Every structure is written in structure tokens, then in C-alpha cells.
């Protein structure tokens, strides 16, 4: 492979990986800190994309629509946690799986009722709507670079939040021992509600950011869901650092897999996960 | 030992179970069959999931035709039995059997997804029920699995893209890259394209496949750029088509290496694709702005009734109803006269919004393949890429 | 856990009698529907062995199921029926061997990681089959004739006959059910229960837990292969979706909804999901909304699955 092409492929892999990280970060947060397996995570991503579609139409400016979308997503997350999710903390993981599976069906149909079944697109914000030529035939979309930068910023933001702030400390305490943290005076109920809302918003934000380069269509959450789980598991549940590394690994594996091993390209991600888990049964940074 | 509370729980469970059983029971269905002279039309289509829009379009147009005939076909009123196949091949046989065995439909109309179609074709062949395919392009249905009672008013995958090669050569593109999803439909498309392109003298310099339904195209777009073909031919549909066209443009390829494909690349996707799709040439058996009077009337009527523009899927659904009507009229509404109906439906010429087309011996349309170009939010008709294109129906014993 | 409430025994026997008499009144569609439910129930029972009794949650159980189905397809020539014993044996063998190999690798993980690594293997098999032309690719392949059993020229039953196939499936379901009950009541079953409770303690007590888990994994795989063979024979069509994570996921839903680790749970779960889908689809285009709501509400209000309704003694 030509060295320039190789570098471009690395760039492709990294960019894809960073977007995966953004989607999976919400999942690892909810799963790692609250212990809830949430199959509806793909639906949150889809809701984000559809919100981006509607809000950009109404408001006109993409970034304003994004801000509004994040706020709406947080409110939806709080509502969902209060209505349904808070009854799952004490339950066996499998009931969480079943309930959130039911939620997928509900969200798909609600989406169909509210937005219909057509395929939609979102305009790339005009300021970023151009491409930088990399070779004589290939250019790179600046929006993708911007998106990658945002994903990185969020990665650092999350790390800083969880490791360096008081709130983060409470979150970490709550995830290790819920009752103990509560008896120390932390309002666990409120904390969990916030974390869940944050997880919801992160997934929705990923959907919103991806909407201009992707498309908005029924069932778009399904693929994202399974990949997110793979990222979380490879990285280690609850580890944001792990999710970032795993996402980058998958991004690169998927990219190079398509190019070098097209016959087994579909399996590459799963081969990677199987290999990692057989080497490190708890994921790369998973807690024992 | 038994708490009254628990007894009630068990009883109420039984009530619920009984209620559910009744809800799923055949009692309602069989009463209606016995007492009405209405023709039961089974619509097995996707109403949820990625293809929901197509299922809706086909259903709308089918009903539109019937409404245009005053609500009756050959004097008979219709009764629809609608079933959501979820585009799930694992349930295909169960679903089709349900329509044929429980709901006792007189004619089976469907479906969109080729994997599901395989299940329907099996049930159709075994039961002998009249079946009309309003979309799924799997060659097998009018190929090795063809049968007297199975008709198609849409296309075969091969047929939608075969003319593209000739078009590309005429535009001076002697080398091409191909890219699509690796699944049955993608492979059939490639077969049709390769045959036509190579026969016209073209050379495929790069063959790229990605797993279905993966939509991360960047890696392969980079490969296309590195290979430097004269043009790119592809097959994508739905959400994937939107993303591919946008990504192709954003990677700067559209300007240097023109993009070609069959109509599914740009049908129902133009609003989402925006500027990226402008100027792209595609081939399909339908186009916007056709100078066909039947089409103008159809589009007007459809838009008035459903408040949106029809697409190729709607046309196919409309023609399915037309075909049924022709068959019914020939036997004066007696659907049980299958042989006579089939004879009437074979060799028929349908006056379709897409233009007139003839039914082939394998029961697939022999139709013109149009060349279209994206202008604004329309696939504008440019010319006829191939007149009277007939799928070779390899393996069909009737052809 | 092993003593069944008397009411449950009565209900099960009554159900069996009803099922046995069903072909006398049911028409072709209903026979086939119940046959399909029985096949799914068998499939669900095999998963429950892993999930409910051994505590191994597999999200790749569609793999042995699909392998069993595809084995039958490969052994059925285009215009002939496959041999009964040979194809059945092949399906069981293929499913069993695959489970042995995979189990050997994956049983060293646990919890969510086990779930995901079983998913990984399931998906790998799915993509392999999906991308293989000779296996029919994404459209799948037909099985034109159901297997034929011939003993010196005499055919005890004809599987092409819907009623015969129904009784065959019913007999197999009862057989699988009985086998599992016997197994779980045996010393082997106690060890399994102990592993689910606390594997560490079992190891300390001297049990080679890995071996026990592997045996369960292989047995569950073979039973899934049996269900796959039946499903393929019944539908006459195999398709890569039979190996997909959707299939594994739906099966898991049946087991959880019905009630894990209970004798009737898988049966109730399989019947409930299939019948509810049928019922709701008859009502509205947005039937998935109703099904989703049903699932959400049942998790919230029937905490241990539908089988809980039969089991008042363990309420709470």
C-alpha cells in the first residue's frame, strides 16, 4: 500500500473510532456506574439523529439545534430514568436486558408515529462544509475532522469529570457501593438520574453529530447498538479510557479489514473481541 | 392451602390467555370468508423497519388503482389482509403460510426484501395461490424458482443495472470501479452490470465489497481514489445510498471520478442527499418527468390522495393491482379459475405510469431501461438506455 | 427448585392432553403454528438449561441452532429427501462439536463478558454463512423434501404430513422436557445448581466446575441443533438470520419472559411471544409498540416471568 494511502486509512480508522467512542461512552457510563445493561442505547442514538433533523429544520442553525437537542435529550433521560429505569437497579441483569429490549420496540414505533418512515438528511453546517484535498483524487471533509475533535474533547471532558471533580468522586463511590455512598449522605437517586441523563445525552449527541454525514432512517440504531457493546466490553466495563482505546482499535480494524481482508471483513470486529476476551477475560481495563 | 388472591391471579391469567387465544383465533377470519363475496388480497410487506416507506408506497398505490376503478376489480369488492413481514427472512414462511392457510387469501401480494421473498415463493409454489411480487428483485423468483402462479411487476436486479455499462462506455468511461454490499442482491447487481459493461468493451479495474449493512465507506472510497478508475459504478439503497452519495462527494471523488448506479441510489433519497447527488446518472425502469400521459395522471392522483410524490415502488404497486384486474376481468371475477387467469396475465401488455411494458414468459416485466440524471430533487428523464430490456431468466423452465 | 407445585403438574398434563388432541380440531395453519411454537419451546428449553440452571447467559445460542438447520440443508439433495438418522445425527454432531470447541474457549469468561464472547462467535458464524455462496448466501437455500425415516422399507410416519410432523415435534418436546427434568433432579443437576449459586464454593468443595459447565454447554448446543433441524425441516428454508444475534436475542427474551430456571418458563415464553405477536399484528400496524409495552410492563409487574403466576409458593 502506498504510504500516503496508508496514512489516510489510519485517519479514516481513527475518525470512525472516535465517533464510536462517543456513542459507546454513554453506554459504559450507564453500565459501569449504574450496572444497567441498556439495549435501548441504539434508540437514544437514533432519537438524537431525528432531533437533529427536526431542530435544524426549525431553528436553522446546526450548532443551536445541537445545544437544544442535548438539553431535550437530558430531559428525556431524566424522564425515562424516573419512569422506568430506577426500578431496575436491584434487579438481575437479564431483566434489564428484557425491559430495555421492549423499550427498543417502543421507541422505534414512537419514532414512526412522530417522524414517519422516510429517509432524511441533515445539512452539514455551512462553516465546515468543505473538503481539504489530500491527494490528487481524494479530499477529506473538514466536518469529519471537526467531529473527531469534538469527540476527543468530550473524551477528555469525561475523564476530567469522573477523575478530577467532586461529582465524579460521588459517581465513582456510588458505582462501587451504592448503599455505603448513600449512608454517607450522597443522594444516590438523584445522582443516578443525572448519570443516566448524561448517558442518554451522550448517545443522542453522537447521533446528532453523525447525522450530517450519515443519514437519518428507521432502524439506524441497531448496528450502532451492537458495536457499542463490543467497544464497552473490549475496553472494560465502566472504563472511559478503555472505551476510547477499544473504539480506536475497532475503528482501525474495521477500516483495514475492509481493505486488506474483504472476505472476512464482517467478522473482523467480532474476531477482535473474541481475541481480547480470551486474552483478558475482563476487557483491557476492566475491573476484576 | 390456596389463597383466594392466588386463585384469582390464576383465573385472571386464564382469562387473559383465553382472550389472547381468541384474538389470534381463526373464528373471525373464517366467518368472513364464508359469508362475503369479497376478494381477499393478502398484502405481505414491510411496515416497520428500514423498508417501511417502500411497503407504504406499494400499499398506497395498489389501493389507489382500486379506488380509480370505483373500489371494485371485475365487479368484486376487495378485502385486504395486511401483514407486516418486518423484512425478516426467518419468519417469511410462517407469515406467508398464515396469509394462505389461516386467512385464506385469494391472492398474495408482496414483498420488498429478497430473503423474505424466498419464503413467499416457497409457499406460493406449494399452495398454488396467485402471487404478485411488487418489488423484490431476486432473479430466482422468475428464474430457477419460476412458477405459473407467480408474477412480478417490478424488476430483476440484473435488469436494473445491465444497461448502465453501455451508458458508461458511451460517455467514454473505459475503466470502472465497482462497489456494493456483499449480499445476494449486491452480487446479482454486479453480475448484471459486469455482463453489460464488459460486453460493451469496458474493464472493471477494482471490485470493492463491504459487509451488509455496513455504511462506513471511507476506507473503500480511499481505495477508489488510489485505483483511479475513469468512473465508479455502484449499488446502494435507502439510508446507505444517502450516505454513500454524500461521502463520495465529500471525498472529492464526484468531481474527478463520476458516479453511476442504478436508480435505487437516487430514488427516495434526493432530499437527504442534497447537492451531493446533483448530476449523477442512473438507470431504472422509471423516472421523474416522464412524458407518459398515464404517468402524469398517476402522479397527480397519488399526490392528491396521499400528499406526497409517488416513486418507483408506488408504480410497481399500482401495476400489481392493474395486473390483478386484467386477470380478474378475463375470468369475470372467478379467482378460482387459476389457469385461465394465468393465461390472461401472461403475454399481457400493461399500460403503466412507467410506459407500456410486456410480461415475459418467465413472468417478469420486459421494459425500457431509462437513463436519468439528478436535477434538483428529481431524477429527470434523459433518454432510453435500453429499449425492451428482458431479464434472461436463466434456469426458468417456462422461459 | 425441583419440586413442582401440584397445580403446575396438573396444568402441564392438561396442556399435554389438549396438545395431543389438537390435530383433531385444528386446521393446517394452527397445526403449523403450534408445531413452530413447540420447536421454539425446545430451543428455549435448551437455552434455559444454560441461563436458568447453570447461570450461563449465552447470546450466541442461535449458532448451534443455525448449524443444525444448515446441516440438514447440506445433506438434502435437490430432488430427494435426506435420510432421517443421518441428517439428525449430523445436526446433533455439528452443533455439539461446535459447542465443544467454542465452550472450551469461552467458558473461562463469566458474566457480561461471557454474554459478549458468545455473541461474538455467533456473529462470526452468521457472517461466514451470510457471505458464502455455496451455503446460499444472504437469501438462504431451500430444503425441498423433509427427511424420510425408513426401516427396512417401512415408513412409521411421513413428515410431509402436517399432523405427523406435529406429533413428532410434540413427542420430541416432551422427550426433551422429561430428559431435562431427570437430569436436573440428578446429582449432576445439583452440582449445576451449586455452580449457579456460587461457583467458587463449588470449586473449593472439589468439583471440576469447568467440566460440568462444558457438559451443559455442549448438551444445550446439541438440543439447539435438534431444534434447528426441526425448524429447517418444518420451514423448508434455511437463512443466515437463523444464526443472527436477533435470533439469539429473541430466544433469550422468551426464556426471561417465561421465567428462567422454571420448568414451564421456556414453554410459556415461547408461546407468549409468538401468540402476542400474532394477536397484536392483527390489531394495528404499530403492533411493535404494544409488544414493547407488554414486555416493559411484565418486567415491572411480573418480576420473575410468566411462570411466576403458577408458582405462588415462591412469591416475593
Amino acid at each position: 500500500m502506498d504510504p500516503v494511502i496508508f496514512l489516510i486509512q489510519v485517519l479514516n480508522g481513527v475518525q470512525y473510532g472516535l465517533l464510536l467512542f462517543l456513542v459507546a461512552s454513554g453506554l459504559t457510563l450507564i453500565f459501569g456506574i449504574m450496572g444497567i445493561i441498556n439495549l435501548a442505547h441504539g434508540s437514544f442514538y437514533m432519537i438524537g439523529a431525528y432531533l437533529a433533523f427536526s431542530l435544524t429544520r426549525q431553528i436553522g442553525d446546526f450548532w443551536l439545534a445541537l445545544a437544544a437537542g442535548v438539553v431535550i435529550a437530558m430531559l428525556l433521560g431524566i424522564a425515562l430514568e424516573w419512569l422506568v429505569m430506577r426500578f431496575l437497579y436491584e434487579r438481575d441483569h437479564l431483566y434489564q436486558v428484557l425491559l430495555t429490549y421492549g423499550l427498543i420496540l417502543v421507541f422505534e414505533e414512537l419514532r414512526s408515529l412522530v417522524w414517519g418512515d422516510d429517509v432524511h438528511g441533515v445539512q452539514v453546517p455551512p462553516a465546515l462544509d468543505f473538503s481539504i484535498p489530500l491527494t490528487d483524487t481524494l479530499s477529506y471533509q473538514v466536518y469529519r475532522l471537526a467531529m473527531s475533535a469534538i469527540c476527543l474533547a468530550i473524551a477528555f471532558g469525561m475523564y476530567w469529570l469522573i477523575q478530577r471533580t467532586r461529582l465524579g468522586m460521588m459517581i465513582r463511590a456510588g458505582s462501587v457501593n451504592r448503599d455505603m455512598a448513600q449512608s454517607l449522605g450522597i443522594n444516590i437517586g438523584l445522582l443516578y438520574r443525572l448519570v443516566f441523563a448524561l448517558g442518554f445525552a451522550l448517545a443522542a449527541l453522537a447521533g446528532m453529530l453523525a447525522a450530517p454525514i450519515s443519514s437519518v432512517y428507521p432502524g439506524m440504531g441497531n448496528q450502532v447498538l451492537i458495536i457499542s457493546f463490543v467497544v464497552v466490553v473490549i475496553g472494560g466495563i465502566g472504563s472511559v479510557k478503555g472505551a476510547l482505546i477499544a473504539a480506536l482499535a475497532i475503528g482501525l480494524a474495521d477500516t483495514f479489514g475492509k481493505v486488506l481482508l474483504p472476505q472476512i471483513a464482517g467478522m473482523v470486529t467480532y474476531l477482535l473481541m473474541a481475541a481480547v476476551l480470551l486474552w483478558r477475560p475482563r476487557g483491557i481495563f476492566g475491573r476484576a | 392451602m390456596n389463597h383466594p388472591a392466588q386463585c384469582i391471579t390464576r383465573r385472571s391469567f386464564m382469562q387473559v390467555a383465553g382472550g389472547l387465544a381468541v384474538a389470534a383465533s381463526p373464528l373471525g377470519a373464517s366467518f368472513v370468508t364464508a359469508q362475503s363475496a369479497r376478494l381477499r388480497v393478502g398484502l405481505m410487506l414491510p411496515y416497520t423497519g428500514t423498508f417501511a416507506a417502500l411497503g407504504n408506497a406499494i400499499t398506497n398505490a395498489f389501493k389507489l388503482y382500486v379506488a380509480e376503478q370505483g373500489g371494485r376489480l371485475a365487479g368484486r369488492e376487495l378485502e385486504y389482509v395486511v401483514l407486516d413481514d418486518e423484512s425478516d427472512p426467518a419468519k417469511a414462511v410462517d407469515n406467508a403460510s398464515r396469509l394462505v392457510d389461516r386467512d385464506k387469501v385469494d391472492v398474495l401480494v408482496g414483498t420488498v426484501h429478497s430473503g423474505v421473498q424466498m419464503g413467499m415463493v416457497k409457499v406460493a409454489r406449494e399452495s398454488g395461490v396467485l402471487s404478485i411480487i411488487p418489488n423484490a428483485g431476486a432473479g430466482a423468483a422468475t428464474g430457477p424458482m419460476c412458477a405459473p402462479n407467480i408474477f412480478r411487476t417490478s424488476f430483476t436486479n440484473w435488469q436494473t443495472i445491465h444497461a448502465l455499462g453501455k451508458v458508461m462506455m458511451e460517455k467514454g468511461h473505459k475503466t470502472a470501479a465497482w462497489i456494493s454490499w456483499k449480499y445476494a442482491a449486491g452480487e446479482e447487481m454486479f453480475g448484471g452490470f459486469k455482463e453489460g459493461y464488459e460486453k460493451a468493451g469496458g474493464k472493471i479495474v477494482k471490485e470493492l465489497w463491504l459487509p451488509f449493512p455496513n455504511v462506513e465507506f471511507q476506507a473503500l472510497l480511499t481505495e477508489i481514489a488510489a485505483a483511479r478508475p475513469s468512473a465508479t459504478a455502484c449499488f446502494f439503497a435507502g439510508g446507505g445510498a444517502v450516505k454513500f452519495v454524500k461521502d463520495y462527494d465529500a471525498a472529492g471523488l464526484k468531481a474527478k471520478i463520476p458516479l453511476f448506479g442504478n436508480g435505487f441510489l437516487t430514488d427516495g433519497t434526493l432530499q437527504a442527499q442534497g447537492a451531493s447527488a446533483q448530476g449523477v446518472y442512473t438507470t431504472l425502469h422509471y423516472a421523474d418527468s416522464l412524458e407518459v400521459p398515464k404517468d402524469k395522471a398517476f402522479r397527480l392522483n397519488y399526490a392528491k390522495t396521499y400528499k406526497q410524490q409517488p416513486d418507483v415502488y408506488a408504480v410497481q404497486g399500482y401495476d400489481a393491482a392493474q395486473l390483478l384486474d386484467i386477470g380478474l376481468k378475463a375470468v369475470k371475477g372467478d379467482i378460482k379459475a387459476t389457469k385461465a387467469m394465468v393465461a390472461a396475465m401472461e403475454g399481457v401488455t400493461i399500460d403503466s405510469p412507467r410506459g407500456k411494458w410486456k410480461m415475459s414468459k418467465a413472468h417478469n416485466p420486459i421494459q425500457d431501461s431509462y437513463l436519468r440524471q439528478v436535477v434538483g430533487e428529481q431524477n429527470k428523464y434523459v433518454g432510453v438506455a435500453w429499449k425492451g430490456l428482458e431479464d434472461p431468466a436463466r434456469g426458468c423452465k417456462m422461459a | 427448585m425441583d419440586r413442582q407445585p401440584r397445580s403446575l403438574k396438573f396444568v402441564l398434563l392438561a396442556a399435554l392432553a389438549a396438545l395431543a388432541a389438537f390435530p383433531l380440531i385444528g386446521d393446517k395453519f394452527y397445526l403449523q403454528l403450534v408445531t413452530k411454537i413447540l420447536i421454539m419451546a425446545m430451543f428455549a428449553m435448551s437455552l434455559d438449561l444454560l441461563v436458568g440452571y447453570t447461570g450461563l447467559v449465552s447470546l450466541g445460542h442461535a449458532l448451534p441452532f443455525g448449524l443444525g438447520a444448515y446441516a440438514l440443508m447440506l445433506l438434502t439433495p435437490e430432488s430427494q429427501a435426506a435420510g432421517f438418522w443421518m441428517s439428525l445425527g449430523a445436526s446433533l454432531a455439528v452443533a455439539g462439536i461446535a459447542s465443544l470447541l467454542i465452550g472450551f474457549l469461552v467458558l473461562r469468561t463469566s458474566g457480561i463478558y461471557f454474554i459478549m464472547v458468545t455473541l461474538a462467535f455467533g456473529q462470526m458464524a452468521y457472517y461466514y454463512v451470510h457471505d458464502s455462496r455455496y451455503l446460499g448466501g444472504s437469501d438462504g437455500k431451500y430444503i425441498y423434501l423433509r427427511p424420510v425415516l425408513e426401516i427396512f422399507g417401512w415408513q412409521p410416519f411421513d413428515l410431509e404430513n402436517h399432523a405427523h410432523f406435529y406429533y413428532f415435534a410434540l413427542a420430541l418436546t416432551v422427550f426433551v422436557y422429561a430428559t431435562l427434568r431427570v437430569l436436573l433432579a440428578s446429582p449432576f443437576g445439583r452440582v449445576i445448581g451449586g455452580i449457579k449459586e456460587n461457583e467458587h464454593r463449588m470449586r473449593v468443595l472439589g468439583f471440576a466446575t469447568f467440566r460440568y459447565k462444558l457438559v451443559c454447554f455442549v448438551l444445550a448446543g446439541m438440543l439447539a441443533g435438534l431444534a434447528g433441524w426441526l425448524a429447517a425441516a418444518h420451514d423448508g428454508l434455511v437463512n443466515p438470520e437463523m444464526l443472527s444475534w436477533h435470533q439469539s436475542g429473541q430466544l433469550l427474551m422468551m426464556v426471561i419472559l417465561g421465567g428462567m430456571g422454571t420448568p414451564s418458563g421456556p414453554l410459556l415464553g415461547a408461546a407468549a411471544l409468538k401468540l402476542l405477536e400474532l394477536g397484536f399484528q392483527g390489531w394495528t400496524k404499530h403492533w411493535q409498540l404494544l409488544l414493547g409495552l407488554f414486555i416493559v410492563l411484565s418486567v415491572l409487574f411480573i418480576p420473575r416471568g410468566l411462570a411466576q403466576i403458577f408458582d405462588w409458593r415462591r412469591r416475593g
Side-chain angles (χ1 to χ4, degrees):
Chain A
M1 198 188 285
D2 183 61
V4 173
I5 298 294
F6 177 77
L7 284 174
I8 296 177
Q9 295 291 28
V10 170
L11 179 62
N12 289 331
V14 166
Q15 180 258 303
Y16 175 46
L18 284 172
L19 183 63
L20 279 183
F21 164 74
L22 188 60
V23 182
S25 61
L27 190 63
T28 204
L29 209 60
I30 291 174
F31 196 177
I33 287 163
M34 295 158 62
I36 290 196
I37 300 184
N38 176 27
L39 289 186
H41 199 70
S43 302
F44 301 165
Y45 173 84
M46 171 186 74
I47 290 173
Y50 274 89
L51 278 176
F53 166 68
S54 289
L55 292 172
T56 324
R57 273 251 206 97
Q58 304 279 40
I59 300 179
D61 178 57
F62 179 75
W63 303 109
L64 281 178
L66 209 68
V70 170
V71 170
I72 295 177
M74 289 215 70
L75 291 172
L76 284 173
I78 290 174
L80 186 62
E81 198 276 348
W82 181 78
L83 270 174
V84 172
M85 305 307 279
R86 67 188 163 120
F87 300 109
L88 294 179
Y89 297 134
E90 309 291 299
R91 305 280 300 274
D92 190 294
H93 282 318
L94 291 175
Y95 292 105
Q96 299 166 356
V97 164
L98 183 60
L99 185 139
T100 50
Y101 172 80
L103 283 178
I104 297 178
L105 299 176
V106 170
F107 284 133
E108 270 299 318
E109 283 303 316
L110 287 178
R111 189 267 317 138
S112 175
L113 286 164
V114 172
W115 281 289
D117 295 315
D118 292 312
V119 180
H120 296 295
V122 174
Q123 264 298 90
V124 177
L128 296 169
D129 195 5
F130 61 99
S131 302
I132 304 177
L134 293 179
T135 71
D136 57 335
T137 42
L138 190 69
S139 304
Y140 208 83
Q141 233 178 334
V142 169
Y143 180 74
R144 281 177 189 264
L145 293 171
M147 208 173 67
S148 300
I150 295 177
C151 291
L152 264 174
I154 291 178
F156 284 123
M158 276 184 74
Y159 186 78
W160 176 82
L161 174 76
I162 292 178
Q163 298 293 347
R164 300 258 184 270
T165 65
R166 225 181 135 67
L167 177 64
M169 197 165 64
M170 287 196 271
I171 292 174
R172 277 181 287 139
S175 80
V176 170
N177 192 325
R178 183 191 158 99
D179 296 320
M180 183 72 89
Q182 196 155 28
S183 60
L184 284 172
I186 298 174
N187 187 341
I188 279 290
L190 189 61
L191 191 69
Y192 275 13
R193 195 156 302 153
L194 237 118
V195 170
F196 187 81
L198 186 61
F200 192 120
L202 279 168
L205 178 64
M208 286 184 252
L209 281 176
I213 58 165
S214 167
S215 48
V216 182
Y217 59 97
M220 65 186 291
N222 287 327
Q223 262 226 301
V224 151
L225 173 67
I226 194 170
I227 292 277
S228 307
F229 268 101
V230 174
V231 169
V232 168
V233 164
I234 291 181
I237 295 171
S239 165
V240 173
K241 189 170 47 171
L244 183 60
I245 296 191
L248 288 171
I250 290 178
L252 289 166
D254 185 72
T255 299
F256 282 98
K258 282 201 190 97
V259 173
L260 299 173
L261 303 162
Q263 284 84 356
I264 59 162
M267 295 193 225
V268 163
T269 314
Y270 300 100
L271 277 167
L272 182 64
M273 175 162 75
V276 168
L277 288 180
L278 295 176
W279 164 56
R280 289 250 207 181
R282 292 238 175 271
I284 303 177
F285 291 109
R287 288 173 268 166
Chain B
M1 201 148 143
N2 291 9
H3 270 259
Q6 277 81 31
C7 277
I8 293 170
T9 312
R10 212 174 322 141
R11 193 172 302 140
S12 50
F13 170 70
M14 288 306 172
Q15 281 171 342
V16 170
L20 287 173
V22 168
S25 84
L27 297 175
S30 56
F31 272 139
V32 175
T33 330
Q35 289 166 359
S36 83
R38 289 199 278 180
L39 192 73
R40 308 202 94 198
V41 176
L43 292 171
M44 181 164 152
L45 290 161
Y47 293 106
T48 51
T50 357
F51 295 132
L54 282 66
N56 289 329
I58 292 169
T59 307
N60 288 345
F62 189 98
K63 292 186 175 171
L64 182 71
Y65 178 84
V66 176
E68 283 176 359
Q69 310 307 308
R72 286 165 189 269
L73 295 184
R76 291 191 69 172
E77 255 185 58
L78 296 183
E79 186 191 334
Y80 299 105
V81 184
V82 174
L83 191 147
D84 177 12
D85 69 22
E86 303 164 69
S87 299
D88 185 358
K91 296 184 183 154
V93 172
D94 288 346
N95 282 334
S97 301
R98 182 164 125 204
L99 286 175
V100 171
D101 295 326
R102 182 187 82 165
D103 302 322
K104 311 246 190 293
V105 297
D106 297 306
V107 57
L108 194 60
V109 177
T111 177
V112 170
H113 185 285
S114 285
V116 176
Q117 196 68 59
M118 293 286 281
M120 283 183 81
V121 164
K122 179 168 218 290
V123 172
R125 282 170 62 106
E126 283 171 2
S127 63
V129 163
L130 180 66
S131 299
I132 305 180
I133 304 174
N135 192 71
T142 52
M145 298 302 293
C146 70
N149 58 315
I150 298 178
F151 288 86
R152 181 153 40 192
T153 57
S154 53
F155 56 89
T156 60
N157 292 327
W158 184 96
Q159 203 178 21
T160 57
I161 202 167
H162 187 69
L164 192 66
K166 192 169 77 140
V167 167
M168 286 169 72
M169 284 302 287
E170 278 166 9
K171 294 198 183 298
H173 298 294
K174 299 197 170 61
T175 59
W178 165 268
I179 179 170
S180 181
W181 281 313
K182 194 162 179 50
Y183 73 131
E187 283 160 358
E188 281 185 19
M189 296 294 182
F190 179 60
F193 169 71
K194 184 171 150 128
E195 212 182 298
Y197 188 57
E198 286 181 346
K199 208 180 331 169
K203 184 163 182 294
I204 300 175
V205 297
K206 194 86 181 169
E207 208 185 298
L208 296 166
W209 298 98
L210 73 166
F212 179 77
N214 196 302
V215 289
E216 287 306 312
F217 302 114
Q218 286 299 114
L220 297 181
L221 289 176
T222 308
E223 289 296 296
I224 292 177
R228 293 192 171 76
S230 175
T232 301
C234 72
F235 163 62
F236 291 106
V242 172
K243 189 163 199 280
F244 184 75
V245 170
K246 285 169 80 164
D247 284 358
Y248 195 84
D249 184 24
L253 289 172
K254 183 164 157 239
K256 310 262 171 48
I257 305 173
L259 182 64
F260 292 83
N262 65 16
F264 300 117
L265 190 67
T266 54
D267 245 66
T269 55
L270 288 175
Q271 184 262 324
Q273 286 161 336
S276 305
Q278 298 305 306
V280 171
Y281 285 101
T282 55
T283 57
L284 197 66
H285 46 285
Y286 188 61
D288 298 323
S289 71
L290 277 180
E291 290 297 321
V292 173
K294 182 89 187 201
D295 185 43
K296 294 192 199 255
F298 169 70
R299 294 190 82 111
L300 210 63
N301 223 355
Y302 190 95
K304 204 169 25 160
T305 317
Y306 298 110
K307 312 277 180 288
Q308 52 179 216
Q309 284 295 316
D311 50 24
V312 62
Y313 309 107
V315 172
Q316 291 162 183
Y318 187 81
D319 286 350
Q322 266 205 72
L323 181 66
L324 179 62
D325 193 20
I326 289 175
L328 277 176
K329 284 203 169 80
V331 294
K332 299 201 184 2
D334 179 15
I335 189 108
K336 302 291 177 220
T338 327
K339 263 201 161 168
M341 267 195 87
V342 165
M345 285 159 77
E346 286 178 340
V348 75
T349 300
I350 300 270
D351 183 19
S352 164
R354 70 185 100 164
K356 291 202 193 336
W357 59 265
K358 201 165 175 307
M359 187 66 78
S360 76
K361 286 209 180 71
H363 293 187
N364 198 60
I366 304 174
Q367 56 196 343
D368 294 342
S369 191
Y370 299 124
L371 179 61
R372 309 117 45 97
Q373 190 182 30
V374 177
V375 173
E377 281 199 5
Q378 288 211 320
N379 284 294
K380 275 207 132 61
Y381 168 81
V382 170
V384 177
W386 196 301
K387 197 142 184 63
L389 182 58
E390 181 176 353
D391 177 84
R394 297 180 177 117
C396 176
K397 296 193 175 73
M398 301 188 315
Chain C
M1 169 173 108
D2 4 354
R3 258 171 54 234
Q4 296 174 31
R6 233 189 295 149
S7 70
L8 175 64
K9 273 206 176 76
F10 175 72
V11 170
L12 282 178
L13 278 169
L16 182 60
L19 285 172
F22 191 62
L24 300 172
I25 49 161
D27 71 355
K28 178 179 168 216
F29 169 70
Y30 278 86
L31 270 185
Q32 294 199 310
L33 172 69
V34 180
T35 308
K36 207 54 193 292
I37 291 179
L38 289 171
I39 296 174
M40 282 294 128
M42 240 184 285
F43 191 17
M45 281 193 274
S46 73
L47 182 61
D48 196 27
L49 174 63
L50 288 178
V51 174
Y53 292 98
T54 322
L56 294 168
V57 180
S58 166
L59 201 53
H61 209 55
L63 193 161
F65 176 76
L67 286 181
Y70 270 82
L72 175 62
M73 183 277 284
L74 285 171
L75 287 175
T76 308
E78 257 216 39
S79 43
Q80 279 182 294
F84 182 89
W85 293 116
M86 190 171 79
S87 60
L88 185 57
S91 290
L92 291 173
V94 167
I97 293 172
S99 297
L100 182 66
L101 294 171
I102 292 174
F104 196 77
L105 290 172
V106 311
L107 284 168
R108 63 181 70 191
T109 63
S110 61
I112 179 73
Y113 299 97
F114 178 77
I115 298 178
M116 295 305 286
V117 81
T118 50
L119 168 68
F121 279 99
Q123 285 298 93
M124 287 193 262
Y126 168 77
Y127 277 109
Y128 179 75
V129 172
H130 185 274
D131 293 345
S132 302
R133 279 275 187 83
Y134 79 98
L135 290 173
S138 63
D139 276 352
K141 255 197 175 174
Y142 289 122
I143 295 173
Y144 294 96
L145 291 166
R146 291 177 178 172
V148 167
L149 173 60
E150 239 183 50
I151 309 174
F152 301 118
W154 170 62
Q155 286 188 12
F157 49 71
D158 173 25
L159 288 179
E160 299 289 341
N161 179 316
H162 302 294
H164 286 198
F165 197 100
Y166 174 89
Y167 280 121
F168 181 64
L170 182 60
L172 275 177
T173 310
V174 172
F175 173 74
V176 168
Y177 179 87
T179 308
L180 286 176
R181 296 244 50 76
V182 164
L183 184 72
L184 291 165
S186 74
F188 179 86
R190 312 264 162 167
V191 176
I192 299 297
I195 292 176
K196 183 181 180 208
E197 280 283 327
N198 191 329
E199 186 178 345
H200 196 69
R201 194 194 300 155
M202 294 304 284
R203 269 210 298 272
V204 165
L205 285 172
F207 288 101
T209 56
F210 185 83
R211 257 179 253 167
Y212 281 90
K213 289 197 292 188
L214 189 60
V215 168
C216 269
F217 197 75
V218 172
L219 183 60
M222 287 175 71
L223 289 174
L226 172 64
W229 181 90
L230 273 169
H234 184 257
D235 284 348
L237 176 63
V238 295
N239 183 282
E241 298 304 312
M242 293 173 99
L243 291 130
S244 71
W245 75 277
H246 288 287
Q247 181 77 283
S248 295
Q250 282 215 317
L251 187 72
L252 192 58
M253 298 311 149
M254 285 181 194
V255 171
I256 302 172
L257 184 65
M260 301 179 282
T262 64
S264 60
L267 296 142
L268 282 174
L273 270 184
K274 268 227 165 281
L275 289 174
L276 281 174
E277 218 183 81
L278 202 68
F280 288 148
Q281 280 187 335
W283 285 351
T284 165
K285 189 172 100 152
H286 296 285
W287 60 276
Q288 286 193 333
L289 183 63
L290 295 175
L291 186 62
L293 281 173
F294 176 86
I295 292 175
V296 170
L297 292 173
S298 69
V299 172
L300 292 177
F301 296 112
I302 315 177
R304 286 196 337 269
L306 298 174
Q308 178 187 332
I309 298 169
F310 286 112
D311 184 23
W312 70 86
R313 233 174 289 179
R314 275 201 296 287
R315 195 164 278 257

